[in-house]
Amino acid sequence: DGGITQSPKYLFRKEGQNVTLSCEQNLNHDAMYWYRQDPGQGLRLIYYSQIVNDFQKGDIAEGYSVSREKKESFPLTVTSAQKNPTAFYLCASSTASGVSSYNEQFFGPGTRLTVL
Amino acid sequence: QKEVEQNSGPLSVPEGAIASLNCTYSDRGSQSFFWYRQYSGKSPELIMFIYSNGDKEDGRFTAQLNKASQYVSLLIRDSQPSDSATYLCAVNISGGSYIPTFGRGTSLIVHP
């Protein structure tokens, strides 16, 4: 079965703690993404990576960090510097695309993070 | 700021009617346009994509693109209660990275 997995499904964090959200894909996709979704909002891009050992900040990278040591894996760490981390976090992947290419994103099931 | 705008709704239609969802975008260089469906508490799933002006049909779904007016729409014919969800418009803006920008989504309610 090809797809994207995220774990855990639910995560609770105390203030001041760092937590890491897992994202794994077996679709052989080059590009991976992390989004944050707040109630009634669209998806906001946190970080993305188009190749192993390289990643770029998205629109709301402050308070987050990522790594891309393997093609299949793109974990996201929510640090204590992120002041309002309660949200639904979505990981996605796609084939890397060039100019004028169709570039569908496939999403994992999401992790719901709550700060206690 | 390159933007993608959607009416948040909710859009309420009776079962069997046509639901029309609209999306406007600010970047004239945008090249690819996607419609995702997201059920409450779930992740988005792609239902349509379009990159040429005109209409594209897939079953009960039709995507319409008008680059001159900078809008893309999604029509759902014979709407069913199972179509009740939030529909997200995503646009691949120009600039090389082709990371999609998402609208806030339109909530659709199909009532029996």
Side-chain angles (χ1 to χ4, degrees), chain A residues 4 6 35 43 90-93 105-110, chain B residues 36 43-46 102:
Chain A
I4 303 176
Q6 291 185 242
Y35 291 93
L43 306 182
L90 288 159
C91 179
S93 71
Q105 289 185 320
F106 295 83
F107 286 86
Chain B
Y36 289 84
S43 58
E45 56 178 329
L46 182 73
F102 284 82

Side-chain angles (χ1 to χ4, degrees), chain A residues 33 35 37 40-43 45 48 50 88 90 97-105 107-109 112, chain B residues 8 31-32 34 36 38 41-46 49 51 88 92 96-100 102-105:
Chain A
Y33 314 80
Y35 291 93
Q37 187 175 37
Q41 303 293 314
L43 306 182
L45 183 66
Y48 66 98
Q50 294 184 309
F88 188 44
L90 288 159
S97 64
V99 175
S100 299
S101 293
Y102 160 55
N103 188 24
E104 174 190 357
Q105 289 185 320
F107 286 86
R112 194 165 297 278
Chain B
S8 62
Q31 300 195 10
S32 305
F34 305 84
Y36 289 84
Q38 186 177 25
K42 302 297 185 183
S43 58
E45 56 178 329
L46 182 73
F49 71 91
Y51 40 80
L88 299 169
N92 274 14
S97 65
Y98 293 95
I99 306 300
F102 284 82
R104 293 189 173 193

Side-chain angles (χ1 to χ4, degrees), chain A residues 55-114:
Chain A
F55 48 83
Q56 307 295 329
K57 293 182 179 180
D59 300 320
I60 56 164
E62 185 175 351
Y64 301 97
S65 66
V66 294
S67 62
R68 186 84 186 278
E69 298 176 0
K70 297 187 299 182
K71 187 175 184 178
E72 303 79 21
S73 179
F74 191 41
L76 174 74
T77 297
V78 184
T79 75
S80 57
Q82 171 50 239
K83 296 306 179 188
N84 186 21
T86 294
F88 188 44
Y89 289 86
L90 288 159
C91 179
S93 71
S94 68
T95 57
S97 64
V99 175
S100 299
S101 293
Y102 160 55
N103 188 24
E104 174 190 357
Q105 289 185 320
F106 295 83
F107 286 86
T111 293
R112 194 165 297 278
L113 173 64
T114 303

